[in-house]
Amino acid sequence: MKNFTAQSLLSKVRNKVSLTKDELVWFARGLANGTVTDAQAGAFAMSVALNSLGSQKSRTHWTLAMRDSGKTLSWDVGLPVLDKHSTGGIGDCVSLVLAPLLASVGVCVPMISGRGLGHTGGTLDKLESIPGVKVMLSDKRLVQIIENCGCVIAGASQDIAPADKRLYAVRDVTSTVDSLDLITASILSKKLASGLDGLVLDIKCGSGAFMTDLNQATKLAQALVKTANEAGCPTTGLITDMNQPLAPAMGNALEIVEAVRVMSGDKGGRLRSITVSLGAEILTAQKIFKNTEEASVELERQINNGAAMEKFSEMIALMGGPSNFGNDFGRYLPESTAVIEVCASASGYLVGWDGQFLGNIVVKLGGGRLVETDKVDHAVGFSDIVSVGTKLSKGTPILKIHAARIDHAESAKIQVLGAMKVSDTPPKEAELVLKRVI
């Protein structure tokens, strides 16, 4: 490979000249090994945010360069290796249900997940609500767990897409997080490094998502799906509604409870519905089932017969958690000392939530991080959240706040009432799946 310089590459991006594949590979390696400075990384991020990489081909090359900046995983399991990625939302604990559910129908799911980002919760933080569970695992342990139960949900090691880790930290402090090229490469580089045979994307759209309107969400979905397919990973996507919490709970341990209830067959609702839709989408795209209807019937059966719950319990035990978690989960999860009920202050229909604001209340209660070093309180959050469309009378319970202190709960109560949108007329019922992208 030629001996490029960061200065020459930055000059090209600034002047809207597309970088070659070799130039992009060189820059990604420089991010990973430190030969590209923070100042140069910031200049690159800003230039791409302002001018883009210039073409879809360059976007794919950059994604692959980011993937190849570290090691990639491979699986010798003789079964399809599939995964799902969500762009983030509130009350979104789909991963906790979907990984064991897919494993129950005979596919392997090495799900590389993340921690909370902004107002959205993180799957790894949720799993760490369970005593003993370790989410940072060696490659050897990942393989052992996959071979034993077919699924694992874990964090990416330092060796997976190290260029992305470096660039993401720079993007966060240079206001370049929302660049379509950089988002696409950041998401997909880690997934492609996981050695997948197929991927399904859940692109959230609405007040609780990063993409608040359908046009934004569609552009991101198209970029992700096209890039992943060009990179050799068969991928489809669903754009899904995120104008209210997906589960009737927000907060780490509280969302674990909802996921377990769904896997136990005790609960239907939006969480179960979207999980089955995503599972049916990837199983059909991989030709494991003829159509989504057939796949959905089988996935519902695996929930109802307890197979998904059994896989989840096996996974938790193999990750260091209790051996009987599924049968006695309430015994192990942390509980808040201050729990208060929030009731409607007026009559009307609940027509929506300010989702990002609602998520930020949970963060301030301690359920997320304001800075990277913050310690998460796994017990805090909201439970028993009523659905949009509910007819309220004055005094109707809306949700319960779980907090470390009563004054924290009382403060959050005022904010929750400010996040509600109430009207005299009922809202139009929203579709869960807004669009399919292939």
Side-chain angles (χ1 to χ4, degrees):
M1 186 173 292
K2 294 179 183 177
N3 188 22
F4 300 111
T5 67
Q7 291 93 324
S8 64
L9 271 58
L10 291 170
S11 177
K12 288 181 73 172
V13 180
R14 185 191 68 206
N15 292 309
K16 302 183 182 180
V17 178
S18 293
L19 298 181
T20 66
K21 178 181 177 181
D22 285 348
E23 287 171 331
L24 291 166
V25 168
W26 182 91
F27 200 85
R29 286 181 183 171
L31 285 168
N33 64 29
T35 55
V36 169
T37 68
D38 283 349
Q40 290 164 339
F44 176 80
M46 186 60 73
S47 294
V48 173
L50 293 172
N51 299 328
S52 86
L53 286 169
S55 68
Q56 174 59 42
K57 183 191 240 181
S58 293
R59 184 184 289 155
T60 302
H61 286 326
W62 177 238
T63 301
L64 290 169
M66 295 269 274
R67 178 198 69 181
D68 296 337
S69 67
K71 71 177 177 182
T72 56
L73 303 176
S74 60
W75 308 93
D76 185 19
V77 290
L79 295 169
V81 179
L82 309 179
D83 197 2
K84 157 259 178 192
H85 177 80
S86 167
T87 56
I90 53 175
D92 179 8
C93 42
V94 168
S95 294
L96 300 171
V97 183
L98 184 59
L101 180 57
L102 288 173
S104 73
V105 297
V107 302
C108 289
V109 188
M111 190 174 282
I112 302 300
S113 294
R115 299 196 180 277
L117 179 64
H119 67 279
T120 66
T123 301
L124 301 185
D125 297 321
K126 293 167 193 176
L127 282 170
E128 286 179 335
S129 301
I130 304 171
V133 167
K134 294 177 178 59
V135 297
M136 302 309 297
L137 304 167
S138 67
D139 294 348
K140 181 179 179 182
R141 188 61 184 151
L142 285 174
V143 171
Q144 289 172 340
I145 295 173
I146 285 287
E147 288 177 345
N148 273 275
C149 73
C151 61
V152 64
I153 305 173
S157 74
Q158 293 300 312
D159 298 328
I160 297 290
D164 176 62
K165 290 182 178 65
R166 178 92 188 288
L167 190 59
Y168 191 89
V170 171
R171 288 167 57 210
D172 196 34
V173 296
T174 56
S175 192
T176 54
V177 171
D178 59 354
S179 159
L180 197 60
D181 287 325
L182 299 181
I183 291 173
T184 300
S186 180
I187 289 172
L188 292 179
S189 59
K190 297 184 285 290
K191 290 297 180 183
L192 296 173
S194 302
L196 303 178
D197 297 318
L199 176 67
V200 65
L201 297 165
D202 182 6
I203 297 91
K204 301 294 187 186
C205 176
S207 70
F210 290 105
M211 298 296 177
T212 55
D213 69 75
L214 189 56
N215 184 50
Q216 281 182 312
T218 300
K219 285 180 180 177
L220 176 59
Q222 290 170 339
L224 287 165
V225 168
K226 191 172 182 86
T227 303
N229 280 299
E230 287 186 357
C233 181
T235 299
T236 60
L238 299 181
I239 301 176
T240 64
D241 177 69
M242 185 39 70
N243 281 305
Q244 62 176 312
L246 188 57
M250 293 171 61
N252 298 293
L254 297 168
E255 290 185 48
I256 291 278
V257 171
E258 293 302 323
V260 170
R261 286 176 176 167
V262 167
M263 283 183 282
S264 301
D266 294 343
K267 245 185 158 178
R270 289 161 52 85
L271 175 59
R272 177 165 172 162
S273 178
I274 199 64
T275 302
V276 169
S277 294
L278 288 162
E281 174 66 26
I282 195 167
L283 292 171
T284 305
Q286 289 291 308
K287 299 184 170 33
I288 296 169
F289 288 89
K290 283 190 253 183
N291 52 56
T292 54
E293 291 78 14
E294 184 181 291
S296 295
V297 168
E298 180 59 22
L299 292 171
E300 293 282 3
R301 191 175 77 84
Q302 295 297 323
I303 292 173
N304 292 332
N305 68 17
M309 187 69 247
E310 186 177 339
K311 286 290 183 185
F312 183 76
S313 294
E314 288 175 17
M315 182 186 77
I316 292 301
L318 289 165
M319 292 175 69
S323 59
N324 64 337
F325 181 76
N327 295 326
D328 200 11
F329 65 92
R331 172 184 167 192
Y332 296 104
L333 293 172
E335 296 180 348
S336 290
T337 52
V339 180
I340 66 171
E341 195 167 66
V342 181
C343 297
S345 56
S347 298
Y349 291 91
L350 178 63
V351 296
W353 292 100
D354 183 334
Q356 291 198 18
F357 187 57
L358 205 60
N360 284 326
I361 301 171
V362 175
V363 172
K364 288 174 185 175
L365 284 169
R369 297 174 184 83
L370 293 170
V371 296
E372 191 176 353
T373 54
D374 282 350
K375 186 177 179 182
V376 169
D377 184 340
H378 294 98
V380 303
F382 306 140
S383 69
D384 303 283
I385 305 170
V386 299
S387 299
V388 167
T390 301
K391 187 175 183 181
L392 307 173
S393 299
K394 187 175 180 179
T396 302
I398 300 161
L399 57 77
K400 290 179 182 176
I401 297 173
H402 300 247
R405 292 171 35 160
I406 193 68
D407 58 328
H408 294 174
E410 293 291 351
S411 176
K413 177 179 178 179
I414 297 167
Q415 296 174 70
V416 165
L417 290 170
M420 294 175 58
K421 300 174 184 177
V422 179
S423 172
D424 292 334
T425 56
K428 182 181 176 183
E429 187 173 349
E431 295 290 331
L432 251 181
V433 177
L434 305 176
K435 188 183 283 191
R436 180 173 182 254
V437 179
I438 58 173

